[in-house]
Amino acid sequence: AQSVTQLDSHVSVSEGTPVLLRCNYSSSYSPSLFWYVQHPNKGLQLLLKYTSAATLVKGINGFEAEFKKSETSFHLTKPSAHMSDAAEYFCVVSDPSGGYNKLIFGAGTRLAVHP
Amino acid sequence: GAVVSQHPSWVICKSGTSVKIECRSLDFQATTMFWYRQFPKQSLMLMATSNEGSKATYEQGVEKDKFLINHASLTLSTLTVTSAHPEDSSFYICSAKDRVGDQPQHFGDGTRLSIL
């Protein structure tokens, strides 16, 4: 069975400092992995996705994530946080039993950015 | 980029009424759309997968007679919450997947449903 664990429910950083949001996954298959961001009372926006190409994936707004099979991790990073990055972030794995259509969400990490 | 429009964004209604939520893919065709429910400060829970021209596939524990799904075209899926009660109050989010290629799901902005 597929599963996703986001290791931190809350992360707080100062503006201009690096961001690290941690995610571990469990998958019996070669997974497709995603990071989505959700601002308050909004839907989800895709930041980036990994689908077995390059292990370092670059996304929008300066975010990137590295797929590490040996560690079953897919951590999200950004070199310098902006105030506008404050939001909820979800690490997601697709479930191949549903033709890779079914998404399994982590519990989310709330990122706070302080001036 | 791919845009999914969800309407309405906010609904407040009395207990016992039915509420319909629309999900449209604006610039792509989606044979498959998804309906999620999100409780405050929690993650998304998949309710059902909506398939164009066929019956929806519901997740375990989701009442199909309570949450009616219709996917009549390649760009529109609707979720109707029938005889809504306060416990149905939640944030409902739809997503759609482009029928062409290996594309990720694109999400609507959600509907905040409040049942009084």
Side-chain angles (χ1 to χ4, degrees), chain B residues 33-88:
Chain B
M33 292 184 173
F34 307 86
W35 288 96
Y36 296 85
R37 185 172 180 176
Q38 185 179 30
F39 291 102
K41 301 186 187 301
Q42 294 189 27
S43 189
L44 277 70
M45 179 191 76
L46 179 65
M47 299 174 65
T49 301
S50 171
N51 304 297
E52 188 266 336
S54 65
K55 292 183 179 180
T57 304
Y58 290 82
E59 295 300 302
Q60 189 174 7
V62 178
E63 299 176 60
K64 61 180 181 180
D65 295 330
K66 161 68 96 173
F67 300 100
L68 300 179
I69 291 173
N70 184 271
H71 193 158
S73 78
L74 288 172
T75 58
L76 173 64
S77 175
T78 61
L79 169 69
T80 301
V81 184
T82 62
S83 186
H85 290 95
E87 59 267 27
D88 298 323

Side-chain angles (χ1 to χ4, degrees), chain A residues 32 34 36 38 41-46 49 51 88 90 99-103 105-108 110, chain B residues 10 32 34 36 38 41-44 46 59 91 93 97 102-110 112:
Chain A
S32 291
F34 310 81
Y36 282 89
Q38 183 181 33
N41 293 310
K42 290 290 189 180
L44 277 67
Q45 180 184 20
L46 179 67
K49 66 173 182 176
T51 54
E88 188 85 19
F90 292 99
Y100 289 95
N101 280 333
K102 185 174 178 179
L103 298 183
F105 285 77
R110 182 164 298 275
Chain B
W10 289 82
T32 308
F34 307 86
Y36 296 85
Q38 185 179 30
K41 301 186 187 301
Q42 294 189 27
S43 189
L44 277 70
L46 179 65
E59 295 300 302
F91 193 55
I93 305 175
K97 190 171 182 180
D102 181 22
Q103 300 293 331
Q105 291 183 27
H106 299 282
F107 287 79
D109 276 347
R112 174 75 57 194

